[in-house]
Amino acid sequence: MDPLTALREMTIQNKLDQIVRVNNEYRFNSTLSFPCTIETAYRSKQGNLYTLETLVYFITNLHIKHHDYIRNAGTHRIPAVTLLDRKPLIEYLHGRISSTDAIEFHDYRVNNLPIYPNLNLAPVDDVNFDDLESRVRVRPQDKNPIELIREIERPLRDRETVLECRHRDFYSLLTAATKRDEERQRVESQQRKDGLVAKTRIGDELGVDRNVKMKGGKIGEGVPIILVPSASQTLITIYNVKEFLEDGVFIPTDVKMKGMKGPKPECVTVLKKFSSRDRVVTAYEVRDKPSALKAEEWGRVVAVFVLGKEWQFKDWPFKDHVEIFNKILGFYMRFEDDSVESAKIVKQWNVKIISISKNKRHQDRAAALDVWDRLEEFVRSRSRS
């Protein structure tokens, strides 16, 4: 008989003490023995077949706790039965259940001879294997195990069906992704054209033809950049900077936001007409996201409206405030009747404080011209250097 059945019968008959290990084999009686490492028909949930050595050591050590059994088996270098297989294996070996899905009987062989149930063999030491092989008909070799598996396989999915998701509609995802890509391309295209926007608007807004010369300093390739805070509590933001610098009128940010249609602008182009005689106009980009600037774009930054907070300059490519305001012109906008404490930190920086009235809008133009005068002077000095 096979080793699993033999072990089960010995367990049911309470004769486990009669199983004797001699060298590398277990002797169940005078007529039946098996190699210790022979695989039994019991397959673990991990996929491997338990050896007879594993099952004998397991069933003879049920009196100890499982974690102690695992440790002892490791000490003796015997593969252990897993905790998941423990209960069903005990029930089968003790005869409480007649079978289980974990059992897979197959053709057991000793010295390349098949072992059949109820086959009475002489003691192993006395067996004449040549004579036994001549008297026992050996069954034909089974097919290759892989071929047997493939014969009963029923393919459920292939590479194509795995990629199919029934009852799922990915059209909305495709549409959303396409829209995001189109929006990104639109923004990038708009940013590239910011330096040319002035040329297309000059004729209408400033009354000059489109052949006007565009002037910018020698401060890197492209249109000069002015940075403003993204925080709405500051006076100058990307919402109202255009009206202040181009028209000399201060409009509160909340008023501009209420009247604005569409999303917040990524970039605003501000124009400055330097001379009506030679018809020269310069354009500046105004942005409020320094983190979005590329390394080469920092060379185009000429001015910044500061918030008066240290965190505004976090991750800027400069070592300290001294370096920042040596390379970039700083402005701090405040109402003229604000407390001195509001500008306490700013006074420690190399920054120009621009004061405007809360109510007298006719004075805004003088403040805007002050910004332009200082900015022109700074750009000229950078161009010379």
Side-chain angles (χ1 to χ4, degrees):
M1 63 179 63
D2 68 278
L4 180 62
T5 302
L7 180 61
R8 184 171 185 263
E9 290 186 1
M10 297 293 280
T11 303
I12 294 173
Q13 297 172 14
N14 198 24
K15 295 180 178 181
L16 290 176
D17 57 333
Q18 297 182 14
I19 301 176
V20 180
R21 178 164 182 164
V22 179
N23 296 325
N24 293 322
E25 66 180 17
Y26 282 110
R27 294 185 179 180
F28 286 71
N29 51 49
S30 60
T31 61
L32 187 62
S33 62
F34 299 97
C36 295
T37 57
I38 189 173
E39 291 182 337
T40 69
Y42 203 98
R43 186 175 297 278
S44 74
K45 288 183 170 58
Q46 295 180 344
N48 59 293
L49 292 173
Y50 285 126
T51 64
L52 180 59
E53 181 181 40
T54 294
L55 297 187
V56 170
Y57 188 80
F58 169 73
I59 201 64
T60 56
N61 286 276
L62 291 181
H63 59 283
I64 63 176
K65 295 181 179 180
H66 191 74
H67 59 83
D68 292 330
Y69 154 73
I70 295 289
R71 183 175 62 254
N72 295 343
T75 302
H76 291 85
R77 297 184 179 180
I78 299 175
V81 172
T82 66
L83 182 61
L84 293 177
D85 292 322
R86 179 182 176 89
K87 182 178 180 180
L89 183 56
I90 292 174
E91 291 182 344
Y92 175 74
L93 291 178
H94 280 88
R96 298 167 190 164
I97 58 176
S98 59
S99 184
T100 172
D101 293 339
I103 298 176
E104 302 175 4
F105 286 110
H106 52 83
D107 185 11
Y108 290 92
R109 294 173 178 270
V110 177
N111 288 10
N112 204 31
L113 291 178
I115 300 175
Y116 300 111
N118 303 320
L119 178 63
N120 294 321
L121 298 178
V124 175
D125 294 338
D126 301 330
V127 171
N128 185 332
F129 286 102
D130 293 332
D131 179 61
L132 180 63
E133 186 172 10
S134 64
R135 292 186 289 109
V136 178
R137 184 173 62 87
V138 180
R139 292 183 298 181
Q141 292 288 342
D142 290 334
K143 293 184 179 180
N144 186 300
I146 302 299
E147 294 180 359
L148 292 174
I149 293 174
R150 288 177 177 171
E151 285 182 0
I152 62 175
E153 277 184 340
R154 295 295 181 268
L156 300 178
R157 294 187 179 185
D158 55 21
R159 289 184 300 177
E160 294 183 0
T161 55
V162 166
L163 296 176
E164 294 179 357
C165 294
R166 295 183 178 180
H167 312 298
R168 297 286 183 90
D169 181 14
F170 288 93
Y171 179 75
S172 59
L173 295 179
L174 176 62
T175 303
T178 302
K179 288 182 178 180
R180 284 197 300 269
D181 187 59
E182 291 175 351
E183 179 64 17
R184 179 183 57 80
Q185 293 180 5
R186 185 192 66 77
V187 171
E188 290 179 354
S189 176
Q190 183 62 37
Q191 290 177 350
R192 288 193 297 268
K193 293 178 181 179
D194 279 336
L196 303 177
V197 171
K199 293 183 179 180
T200 63
R201 295 170 45 200
I202 290 173
D204 296 332
E205 297 188 5
L206 300 180
V208 297
D209 61 45
R210 296 188 179 181
N211 294 322
V212 68
K213 294 168 60 179
M214 298 299 295
K215 179 181 179 181
K218 295 179 181 178
I219 44 179
E221 298 181 359
V223 178
I225 297 174
I226 299 174
L227 296 177
V228 296
S230 58
S232 59
Q233 63 265 33
T234 186
L235 295 186
I236 296 298
T237 65
I238 200 166
Y239 292 100
N240 62 1
V241 65
K242 187 175 183 66
E243 286 76 11
F244 178 72
L245 292 181
E246 283 191 357
D247 305 328
V249 178
F250 171 76
I251 303 176
T253 296
D254 57 345
V255 176
K256 285 290 297 181
M257 292 176 65
K258 291 179 181 178
M260 178 174 290
K261 296 181 180 180
K264 175 184 177 182
E266 296 273 341
C267 176
V268 172
T269 301
V270 176
L271 305 178
K272 176 65 172 72
K273 184 177 179 181
F274 283 97
S275 171
S276 58
R277 180 173 55 83
D278 59 6
R279 303 163 77 184
V280 175
V281 173
T282 190
Y284 290 83
E285 291 181 6
V286 181
R287 304 189 190 183
D288 66 350
K289 293 181 179 179
S291 60
L293 292 178
K294 300 177 182 177
E296 61 272 15
E297 291 178 324
W298 276 102
R300 294 163 48 197
V301 178
V302 294
V304 57
F305 283 83
V306 302
L307 181 62
K309 305 292 183 181
E310 293 282 353
W311 55 260
Q312 182 181 0
F313 308 104
K314 183 181 179 181
D315 298 328
W316 282 35
F318 305 100
K319 62 181 181 180
D320 53 29
H321 296 98
V322 176
E323 183 180 4
I324 291 176
F325 297 120
N326 279 340
K327 296 182 177 180
I328 300 174
L329 181 61
F331 294 104
Y332 177 70
M333 292 288 298
R334 64 186 292 271
F335 288 124
E336 57 188 6
D337 54 353
D338 283 349
S339 65
V340 178
E341 289 295 323
S342 63
K344 184 177 180 180
I345 297 179
V346 176
K347 287 182 177 181
Q348 302 174 16
W349 302 340
N350 183 20
V351 170
K352 171 60 180 175
I353 299 178
I354 304 294
S355 300
I356 60 174
S357 172
K358 285 186 177 180
N359 303 309
K360 301 175 182 178
R361 297 279 67 85
H362 63 278
Q363 296 180 1
D364 295 341
R365 184 170 182 80
L369 291 176
D370 189 14
V371 172
W372 282 122
D373 290 342
R374 294 178 182 277
L375 182 57
E376 290 177 38
E377 182 181 354
F378 180 78
V379 170
R380 283 195 298 267
S381 65
R382 277 189 55 173
S383 300
R384 289 194 296 267
S385 60

